[in-house]
Amino acid sequence: MKNQWLKVVNMNLVGASFDSLPPIDLPFRFFISGILFPIVLAILIVLSGEEPWLSRWHPTMLAITHGFTLGFLGCVMMGALLQILPVVGGISFPKVRLVASYSHIFHLLGTLNLILAFIFPKPLFVISSIVFLFFGFVLYSSAALWAVFNTKSKSVTISGIRLAILLLIVTVVLGLFMQLRALGINLIGLDKIYTDIHAFWGLFGWISLLIIAVSFQVIPMFHVAPNFPAWLSNHLPSLMALVLMLLVTTPLINNLMDELVAILLVLQCLYCITLLIVMSRRKRKIPDTTINYWQLAALSFLLLSCFYFVPKQYINHSFYQELIAPKEELLFAAVFIYFYLVSVLQGMLLKILPFLSYTHLQQRCLMNFSALQFLPNMHEILTKQHANILFVLHCFSGLLLIFTILYPKLYWLLAALLFVEFSFLLAISLKVIRIYQVCSTKIIKQSEIDN
Amino acid sequence: MKEVVIDVSALPAPEPMQQIIAALAQLNAEQVLKVIHRRQPFPLFEQLLKSDWEYQCDELSNELFHIYIFKKPVKTRLTADDSICSLNEKPMA
């Protein structure tokens, strides 16, 4: 009888293939280059003036959007996954230094060329973006797939990450097909519905699904919150993936785009509500800026969905008709990307950067306990005050983004605030790296003395 | 073999690792450290294998793991029954 609840006894992992934690410089280089993108985009926004804010299809607006999604979000997620897989699944990417180094370079070159290709549609930039992004993603996603299909872990996080990577591959293929149009090679027709599908797969499939899967692990781990309910963690990622797959079929066999998008939003809302409940039940309710970021993201998404589901024929106010209605799609995308996705990733960075540094330093102390004296305090690595300043800057820049879409004359103010916010994040991150290097040197010296 | 028990299941990362390392620094060759954890700390396992430690991890539920850590020369004497007993002594989280 006692064995009924005892699932696995003596699950000894001695002998499993471990060398999982990648060198710290690998995730850090993804994070730092990711943070640099919004700084570059701020300069682009200043130079481009009001015009890009008039339509989501404006080439510079497409460049800004991809700078955020591929540049900031893509880099941070790629770096985070390098580090999360060993913690969650006890497995690393194969040939991690080689894969991370080359995929990082390819991704950076591909994204920069893509931004240039939108602004200056020259064949050189288009071809370079296709080649670099293709090889970067093939290298990264094949190594990630190898890792997630070879881990012994059966956690819901691993299953979710598998789905997110598979969805990333389709997103990239669709994106490359659209880039090929610029070279006169038209494989999927000119219908703009494919652009929407590409955006939904990338934003909801790759990034949001990955955030959901990772949150199942990191929220209980970092915030001592209860686990997400099993009904949600077991079924939500696959349901979202199913809806996204059906979305691809809409141009071919039916016209259910609006219905499927509505289901997708409801599923995402379900996650956001559960996230807020799980957060409210955490055991130690100490103030934490990362919690504020999660709450901001969840509440923004719920608000966004409420607005989406309000029947628009009942809104006759001239403010809505004249200002919001023509830019509704751009507003939805901006709120989702900036208030939901960027908020979560910025909040996660505030946790991951000090945690990574601390964990890597801590690991060395197991070999030499006398080095424990050199471990910094976690709160010294990244202070609460700095985290709070960043959060306030982020809220203001988000609001200014909405105002700039409505009143494009404010573009320069948005650019200035984006520049300040992400420069501050860069400074915080570099300080973390500096503290790590100083402590690491001390530990190495102590080990040499002891040996 | 004397058991030293620490419960890190209600601590946020990276405090569990802090507690475990502090406990290991005090552990002598006649003792085994029993860690009650909410998850499998894979990075810890990796470092234990590289150092002079051995470990055994028992998954009692999705949210409850008992990890036994001891110096390498000492062979484990733990059995499944030991794990069941220890679980009965401490109610599941």
Side-chain angles (χ1 to χ4, degrees), chain B residues 39-68:
Chain B
R39 60 184 189 87
Q40 294 191 74
F42 289 113
L44 169 70
F45 294 163
E46 180 184 338
Q47 284 306 310
L48 289 172
L49 293 181
K50 285 182 183 169
S51 325
D52 293 332
W53 302 95
E54 280 190 6
Y55 73 92
Q56 176 173 305
C57 178
D58 294 348
E59 182 181 354
L60 305 178
S61 77
N62 285 339
E63 285 187 73
L64 186 63
F65 296 86
H66 285 180
I67 302 149
Y68 300 89

Side-chain angles (χ1 to χ4, degrees), chain A residues 23-312:
Chain A
I24 198 166
D25 64 292
L26 299 179
F28 271 0
R29 68 177 71 172
F30 277 99
F31 296 152
I32 296 297
S33 39
I35 295 165
L36 285 171
F37 269 99
I39 297 173
V40 174
L41 292 176
I43 298 166
L44 176 65
I45 291 170
V46 169
L47 296 176
S48 307
E50 294 176 36
E51 209 182 310
W53 300 92
L54 301 176
S55 160
R56 70 177 268 210
W57 300 106
H58 191 285
T60 308
M61 182 47 70
L62 290 171
I64 293 168
T65 312
H66 284 82
F68 262 104
T69 51
L70 276 176
F72 178 71
L73 299 174
C75 276
V76 174
M77 288 315 281
M78 286 164 86
L81 200 55
L82 276 180
Q83 194 65 40
I84 284 166
L85 275 183
V87 175
V88 178
I91 197 160
S92 183
F93 282 45
K95 308 255 180 228
V96 65
R97 182 162 287 284
L98 183 87
V99 170
S101 303
Y102 280 101
S103 59
H104 174 245
I105 294 286
F106 288 155
H107 186 74
L108 288 190
L109 289 173
T111 308
L112 286 172
N113 274 292
L114 184 68
I115 291 171
L116 288 171
F118 280 125
I119 303 169
F120 313 106
K122 292 194 163 76
L124 174 70
F125 295 138
V126 177
I127 294 168
S128 303
S129 69
I130 291 173
V131 171
F132 286 125
L133 283 174
F134 175 78
F135 283 111
F137 276 121
V138 164
L139 190 61
Y140 186 90
S141 47
S142 48
L145 279 178
W146 180 91
V148 289
F149 281 102
N150 278 286
T151 173
K152 289 178 181 175
S153 170
K154 296 168 196 143
S155 78
V156 283
T157 297
I158 292 290
S159 327
I161 293 173
R162 279 182 198 143
L163 284 173
I165 297 169
L166 291 170
L167 295 173
L168 166 71
I169 293 169
V170 182
T171 308
V172 172
V173 170
L174 270 177
L176 292 177
F177 280 171
M178 281 185 282
Q179 269 301 83
L180 283 172
R181 285 176 186 163
L183 298 174
I185 305 165
N186 205 339
L187 298 172
I188 50 169
L190 291 171
D191 200 330
K192 283 185 175 172
I193 198 166
Y194 289 106
T195 314
D196 289 337
I197 293 171
H198 165 73
F200 275 110
W201 274 62
L203 296 177
F204 282 89
W206 159 236
I207 304 173
S208 187
L209 199 55
L210 194 56
I211 286 172
I212 290 172
V214 168
S215 73
F216 293 154
Q217 178 82 17
V218 297
I219 287 188
M221 187 174 116
F222 282 127
H223 306 291
V224 203
N227 279 350
F228 279 76
W231 59 264
L232 183 105
S233 53
N234 286 335
H235 304 297
L236 185 79
S238 31
L239 272 175
M240 281 181 70
L242 179 69
V243 176
L244 285 164
M245 277 186 252
L246 290 173
L247 213 58
V248 180
T249 64
T250 52
L252 307 172
I253 56 171
N254 57 44
N255 194 20
L256 295 174
M257 185 85 175
D258 289 345
E259 289 79 358
L260 290 169
V261 169
I263 296 171
L264 202 58
L265 292 184
V266 169
L267 291 174
Q268 182 77 40
C269 283
L270 200 62
Y271 167 75
C272 289
I273 292 166
T274 316
L275 172 72
L276 291 172
I277 294 170
V278 166
M279 289 280 196
S280 70
R281 289 183 185 161
R282 63 192 199 279
K283 285 181 189 169
R284 296 207 312 191
K285 291 191 174 63
I286 44 175
D288 188 329
T289 316
T290 302
I291 296 272
N292 299 342
Y293 271 106
W294 280 107
Q295 288 169 334
L296 172 71
L299 290 172
S300 307
F301 190 84
L302 291 172
L303 208 62
L304 177 76
S305 302
C306 288
F307 188 71
Y308 179 86
F309 285 114
V310 171
K312 302 297 178 289

Side-chain angles (χ1 to χ4, degrees), chain A residues 408-442:
Chain A
K409 281 183 181 170
L410 294 170
Y411 74 91
W412 61 274
L413 202 55
L414 171 69
L417 205 52
L418 268 182
F419 190 87
V420 171
E421 179 187 341
F422 283 89
S423 300
F424 187 63
L425 179 57
L426 181 66
I428 291 175
S429 310
L430 293 176
K431 187 189 159 212
V432 171
I433 294 172
R434 179 78 194 130
I435 291 174
Y436 170 81
Q437 284 172 334
V438 170
C439 295
S440 177
T441 310
K442 285 181 186 169

